[in-house]
Structures are given as C-alpha cells and as structure tokens.
Amino acid sequence: MFSNVNDNIKNSPFVHNSLEREKVEIELLLQAIYRMYGYDFRNYAYDSIARRIRHGMNSLGEESISTLIAQVIHHPERMQQLLPFFFVNVTEMFRDPSMFLAFRKRIVPYLKTYPHIRIWHAGCSTGEEVLSMAILLKEEGLYDRARIYATDIDEAALEKAQDGIFPLRNMKLYTQNYIQAGGTKEFSDYYTARHDSVKFQSDLMKNIVFARHNLVTDQSFNEFNVIFCRNVMIYFNKLLQSRVHTLFHESLAPLGLLVLGDKESMLFNEHTRYYEAVDEDEKIYRKMK
Ligand SMILES: C[S@@+](CC[C@H](N)C(=O)[O-])C[C@H]1O[C@@H](n2cnc3c(N)ncnc32)[C@H](O)[C@@H]1O
C-alpha cells in the first residue's frame, strides 16, 4: 500500500523541530552559495558555520535564513555583504609565542643547511603571522634565502596584509609575544608609528608573495620546505580536513615541516603515518621520506 502523503508530512521529524528545520535551511543556503558563486562552505564544521550564518542574518536584518537564501540567489551584492561573516580573521603577531621559540631553536638550525627555503602560510588572514615569521627569519639570517607565500580565501584580509599597517593599540601585546618568542631586537625597530596605527618596514615584505588561494577548491602550486596552517582547519569538518591534509602532503618536500594551530593536531587523522612529531606541544611535524 502507498503511504498517505499527509501522514508523511505530519510525521516528518523536520516539521516540529526548529533545529532540524534550520539545518535544512543552512544546507540549502550553502548549496546556493556554492552553485551561484563557487564558494564551498558545505564541509565547514557545522556548529561554527551555523553560528556565523545566524550572525550574518541578524546583522543584515534578514528575517530568516530562507529569506537570506532568496536574497543571495537574486542579489549578488547581498552575497558580497554576507561573505565576510564566513571568514574568521582573528590573528595576532607571534601568536602562541612558544611555537615561534621552538621554531627558532629547533627548526632554524636545520633550515640553515638549505640554500633556498620555500614557506607557505595557508590561511594567513591579515598578515600578522607571516610578518612575524619574516622578522624571525631576518634575525636568524635566513630571510634573504626565503621565498614566502602567504595565501587566504579572503581578499579583503589579503589587502590589509599587503599594507602591513596595524593598530598601535595592539603593539603592547605583540611586543610581549615577540619577547617570549625569543626576539633579539627592540620590537619597535620594525615599525613606524603614525597617529593610531603603525606601519611595518617594507623591507620585511620583499620576499613575501600574497595570493588568493582556497584550500577547499584550489590545488597545490609549489613544493615547500615549511607549511604553516594554523587555526584554519579547526573550522573544517573531518572530510575537509582530510582533503587539506592530502594537499599539504603533496605540497611538502621530503622532510618538510607542517605547523598547525594550538588546538589542532596530526594525531587521530589518517595522515598521521606520514609524519613524525618534532614537537607535539607546539604542533610542529615533519613529513617522513
Ligand atoms: C583564524 S584565521 C588564522 C590566521 C593565522 N593563521 C593565525 O593562526 O593567526 C583563519 C583564516 O583562514 C581563512 N580561511 C577560511 N577558509 C579558508 C579556505 N577555504 N581557504 C583558505 N583560507 C581560508 C580565513 O579567511 C581566515 O583568514
């Protein structure tokens, strides 16, 4: 016998459960964004992407996610306004200073044996991390043989990164971080203050290439000795993390290093067997031959 359509509707778990309903709306929104604009957020960690969509919806004054879907489909400028809510740009210079200290002590001596070094900062946000690395490499006499690629999906963040201009109020924290990270100079020597912002020496930028790269949809573009991807994969689900790990594995030279964020780890994923931990606490891993 055929089931009664009305019964199916009445008994649907989605009808009376607002969370389930929201899940359907979010899936449809992400599908629409992917189909219309090519941004693929479908495999971002659900709770965090849902939070950001709700925030975007409220900030843009939309009544519901369903109305947002219609807006996104029919009005590209609405998509433009929504896009920044998908990116979490939080960053700081010498973030997790103990990682930079460990890098200086344990990795720099090894890099000094190389004539050229290629480094990739994947998910560089507004540039604070890559600038910190440029300073460290300069102090260690490695900057001139380094080529640094700093990429992000977010073009607005990349533009800021290229400017090298940051709020003056952040310098107190960054100076503390720099000292804890084993910095050997006066931190203020690296920038010039003007009104309420500071501009870092343009010399620090000369070997950095900033480019847009989407870890979800773009391919490898070089072979690297070091890849930093800190506090990015934390926003991805397991499937996407696995895709990005494959990309990094393909992009690392033999014995290349992968550096993850504080709350991320190589443990418990299927790529573990390709790496050894140089420093598990600081999330520094070496690709085995
Ligand atoms: C929290 S920031 C991390 C910045 C820096 N790595 C740090 O640890 O301080 C995360 C960055 O990942 C970027 N991002 C998110 N999805 C991405 C993707 N699919 N491809 C490349 N970058 C992405 C965001 O735009 C954001 O700038």
Side-chain angles (χ1 to χ4, degrees):
M1 283 301 271
F2 295 110
S3 57
N4 183 315
V5 176
N6 286 335
D7 281 349
N8 277 358
I9 292 174
K10 261 191 278 164
N11 297 333
S12 160
F14 298 99
V15 171
H16 301 293
N17 183 331
S18 61
L19 277 182
E20 284 297 336
R21 248 189 344 245
E22 187 193 65
K23 203 158 180 236
V24 173
E25 286 182 297
I26 286 177
E27 280 170 16
L28 290 173
L29 174 67
L30 298 181
Q31 185 68 22
I33 291 173
Y34 176 57
R35 294 275 302 274
M36 303 277 308
Y37 305 101
Y39 285 103
D40 192 354
F41 299 114
R42 294 173 302 172
N43 285 309
Y44 278 48
Y46 182 78
D47 288 346
S48 128
I49 204 88
R51 229 182 357 260
R52 284 180 272 149
I53 289 171
R54 278 182 224 118
H55 181 42
M57 178 189 93
N58 292 328
S59 306
L60 297 178
E62 289 294 341
E63 229 168 70
S64 67
I65 298 173
S66 293
T67 63
L68 193 56
I69 295 171
Q71 287 288 322
V72 158
I73 290 177
H74 295 286
H75 305 286
E77 61 282 7
R78 206 51 166 164
M79 183 63 221
Q80 206 79 51
Q81 293 165 336
L82 182 65
L83 201 52
F85 292 95
F86 285 94
F87 307 135
V88 181
N89 294 133
V90 181
T91 185
E92 61 189 52
M93 286 190 76
F94 294 97
R95 181 179 193 174
D96 305 320
S98 56
M99 187 288 291
F100 283 90
L101 187 61
F103 192 91
R104 202 187 271 268
K105 288 201 166 144
R106 303 185 68 167
I107 308 303
V108 162
Y110 155 78
L111 293 180
K112 281 186 176 166
T113 65
Y114 280 65
H116 309 286
I117 310 158
R118 272 194 299 268
I119 300 178
W120 179 15
H121 287 262
C124 68
S125 187
T126 38
E128 286 82 341
E129 179 186 272
V130 65
L131 199 55
S132 309
M133 194 42 63
I135 290 173
L136 189 156
L137 294 173
K138 202 151 199 152
E139 291 181 358
E140 296 295 334
L142 280 177
Y143 187 78
D144 286 334
R145 59 178 113 155
R147 191 84 176 146
I148 309 173
Y149 298 82
T151 64
D152 203 283
I153 189 177
D154 181 357
E155 282 179 55
L158 284 170
E159 270 172 34
K160 281 194 196 156
Q162 267 158 307
D163 289 344
I165 298 172
F166 303 104
L168 179 63
R169 64 175 181 279
N170 292 348
M171 291 308 122
K172 189 165 174 237
L173 172 67
Y174 294 178
T175 305
Q176 283 164 8
N177 286 355
Y178 168 75
I179 293 166
Q180 286 171 25
T184 59
K185 300 243 162 64
E186 280 295 322
F187 188 57
S188 55
D189 289 350
Y190 291 108
Y191 61 79
T192 316
R194 214 170 191 211
H195 307 302
D196 51 3
S197 56
V198 307
K199 177 155 177 57
F200 276 79
Q201 290 170 4
S202 47
D203 211 31
L204 290 167
M205 300 286 188
K206 77 177 188 325
N207 291 357
I208 306 177
V209 178
F210 289 97
R212 189 166 178 273
H213 181 277
N214 185 342
L215 288 165
V216 182
T217 45
D218 294 336
Q219 303 302 313
S220 176
F221 58 94
N222 214 324
E223 189 179 77
F224 300 96
N225 305 105
V226 188
I227 297 177
F228 290 90
C229 186
R230 305 166 68 219
N231 309 299
V232 180
M233 280 191 274
I234 199 167
Y235 299 107
F236 297 170
N237 72 12
K238 286 265 173 251
L239 189 80
L240 195 47
Q241 288 176 5
S242 173
R243 187 215 180 259
V244 177
H245 272 301
T246 302
L247 176 70
F248 289 157
H249 186 252
E250 286 168 5
S251 308
L252 272 175
L255 302 179
L257 296 142
L258 177 63
V259 185
L260 302 177
D262 184 33
K263 295 181 192 66
E264 297 155 336
S265 175
M266 250 350 260
L267 298 174
F268 319 117
N269 83 46
E270 72 207 71
H271 290 78
T272 310
R273 62 184 188 279
Y274 302 126
Y275 293 87
E276 60 181 358
V278 177
D279 191 327
E280 178 60 47
D281 289 342
E282 302 304 338
K283 316 295 170 166
I284 304 175
Y285 304 92
R286 180 183 283 119
K287 175 177 165 178
M288 290 186 289
K289 271 193 191 160

